[in-house]
Amino acid sequence: MGSVIKEEQKMKGIQKNSKPETKGYGNKLGYSIFHFVLKNIGLYGAYGILLLLTPYYVIFRPSVYQCSKYYLQRRFPRDNFCKRYLRLFKYIYTFGQALIDQLYYGFVDESKFELVFHREPEILDLLNQKPVIFLMSHVGFWEVSMAGSARFNKTLNVMVNKDFDKDKRKSFYDIKGKKFNLINVSDDYGGMVEATGALLRGEALGVTGDRAEGWRSKRVSFLGAPAKFPTIAQQLAVATGASVIALFTSKKGRYQILIDWKDISTEVLADEKLSKDEKIESMLHNYADALEKHIQNHPYLWFNFFDFWKR
Amino acid sequence: MDTATKLKELLAKELNLQLKPEEITDDMPLFGEGLGLDSLDAVEIVVILKKHLGVNIVDGEQAKEVFVSMKTLTDFVEKELGKK
């Protein structure tokens, strides 16, 4: 089964800035058009096309409203009909922008973007002290945030699901010659053995914190109601003593991506009065609070398209 | 204390098992029926082996062979510790 996919050899021969494969990741023609526009006209040309396409998705594709409403209605409960559709337009347009930015960063010209880690010396200190779990959320340019952590002098492992297409996303995980080990969560024991091994070796691990499907999970209050969060990062932290750093992105100007982070674990893990379960729950609350705070400041940047609160 | 007894005591304590160490039999499967562990418990076992015995499990493929039952786990640990 070979759980840790060693990408070094497999990625050989795949040229950077090559055209992305598109299976299951958007319309093939659409991607080709955006790729062409990004290469030949630039970011704002692609945004212009997106602006023309967005009304179609908002007005003529009911499924777009259906899958967006769970989050938007929680975040903006007092909206009337008109406001709801205006917000939906902005939400879908922002989502499209994030996809275009990621396409540009991953397959056209990453050097155009500047990734700025807030309080970078502090995160470096943490990384030097102990293994770190980067908890990613579907906020803004989430894959770029993990790719951005390639700047740190640590071996990086990323947990990916069976639908992950390594060729499609190779550029995010092959930044400036720094390779990531991809851990397939579909393998035996959900990739947990490899993840644990990586942390015990003092390496860094990236895992998604806001998708509970297939994972052991717990409900914590989020945007006014209990929502189901996976506990994988918190469980790994309790078992191995690793720090858990939640990463959140936002954008400033055309090419600057800001990566904010919050340490959700250090105080909790140091509290000897807490049981293992209490530590896990406490870290989960810290993460949910941090995500909620980020969403309050950047309401259109959390790309949640399913009922997170479903019982 | 032999390796099997030590492992049973460690698992019962660290994984908060309902069973007492002496109730864990050698042929008992670790996952599914048997001890009823899941993938997150695999994390704990990997950490227990490393922390208490200095034994590493390399990857899921190796874990699949080692985590079949108490006997396979014991055999693996003894082999790693050079007791065989």
Side-chain angles (χ1 to χ4, degrees), chain A residues 99-148:
Chain A
L99 290 180
I100 287 170
D101 288 345
Q102 297 201 138
L103 184 67
Y104 195 89
Y105 183 91
F107 293 96
V108 180
D109 187 2
E110 77 185 49
S111 67
K112 284 261 188 186
F113 286 89
E114 184 193 4
L115 301 185
V116 180
F117 261 89
H118 287 168
R119 298 171 286 130
E120 190 164 342
E122 283 180 49
I123 207 168
L124 277 168
D125 270 355
L126 269 172
L127 281 160
N128 287 332
Q129 287 168 25
K130 50 183 3 190
V132 165
I133 300 168
F134 289 117
L135 195 53
M136 297 183 284
S137 311
H138 290 78
V139 170
F141 321 92
W142 65 96
E143 286 190 296
V144 175
S145 70
M146 192 63 213

Side-chain angles (χ1 to χ4, degrees), chain A residues 58 64-65 68 72 84-92:
Chain A
V58 170
V64 170
Y65 172 73
S68 306
L72 290 178
R84 195 177 299 160
Y85 270 87
L86 284 173
R87 288 207 199 276
L88 180 64
F89 180 89
K90 192 168 179 185
Y91 187 50
I92 298 304

Side-chain angles (χ1 to χ4, degrees), chain A residues 23-199:
Chain A
K23 188 184 169 191
Y25 194 65
N27 177 284
K28 193 173 183 178
L29 176 66
Y31 260 80
S32 297
I33 291 170
F34 277 110
H35 190 257
F36 175 84
V37 171
L38 285 169
K39 276 191 93 168
N40 295 286
I41 303 175
L43 205 55
Y44 274 44
Y47 286 173
I49 293 174
L50 176 68
L51 195 60
L52 297 174
L53 284 175
T54 306
Y56 164 74
Y57 282 98
V58 170
I59 296 166
F60 297 111
R61 297 282 286 269
S63 59
V64 170
Y65 172 73
Q66 284 301 322
C67 63
S68 306
K69 71 177 183 184
Y70 306 111
Y71 165 58
L72 290 178
Q73 286 181 358
R74 290 237 167 243
R75 179 63 184 80
F76 303 105
R78 292 190 184 87
D79 279 357
N80 58 29
F81 181 82
C82 290
K83 224 170 180 181
R84 195 177 299 160
Y85 270 87
L86 284 173
R87 288 207 199 276
L88 180 64
F89 180 89
K90 192 168 179 185
Y91 187 50
I92 298 304
Y93 180 70
T94 310
F95 178 57
Q97 278 187 315
L99 290 180
I100 287 170
D101 288 345
Q102 297 201 138
L103 184 67
Y104 195 89
Y105 183 91
F107 293 96
V108 180
D109 187 2
E110 77 185 49
S111 67
K112 284 261 188 186
F113 286 89
E114 184 193 4
L115 301 185
V116 180
F117 261 89
H118 287 168
R119 298 171 286 130
E120 190 164 342
E122 283 180 49
I123 207 168
L124 277 168
D125 270 355
L126 269 172
L127 281 160
N128 287 332
Q129 287 168 25
K130 50 183 3 190
V132 165
I133 300 168
F134 289 117
L135 195 53
M136 297 183 284
S137 311
H138 290 78
V139 170
F141 321 92
W142 65 96
E143 286 190 296
V144 175
S145 70
M146 192 63 213
S149 53
R151 70 175 66 195
F152 304 123
N153 189 26
K154 278 262 179 181
T155 301
L156 290 157
N157 304 268
V158 184
M159 299 192 82
V160 297
N161 63 29
K162 62 179 167 34
D163 298 324
F164 186 87
D165 184 330
K166 60 184 181 301
D167 292 335
K168 193 164 57 193
R169 281 156 161 121
K170 68 180 177 53
S171 290
F172 294 116
Y173 300 108
D174 184 15
I175 309 298
K176 294 181 178 68
K178 180 107 183 179
K179 303 292 196 301
F180 290 76
N181 293 327
L182 301 183
I183 297 175
N184 192 336
V185 301
S186 315
D187 283 353
D188 293 321
Y189 308 106
M192 300 300 280
V193 172
E194 289 79 5
T196 310
L199 294 170

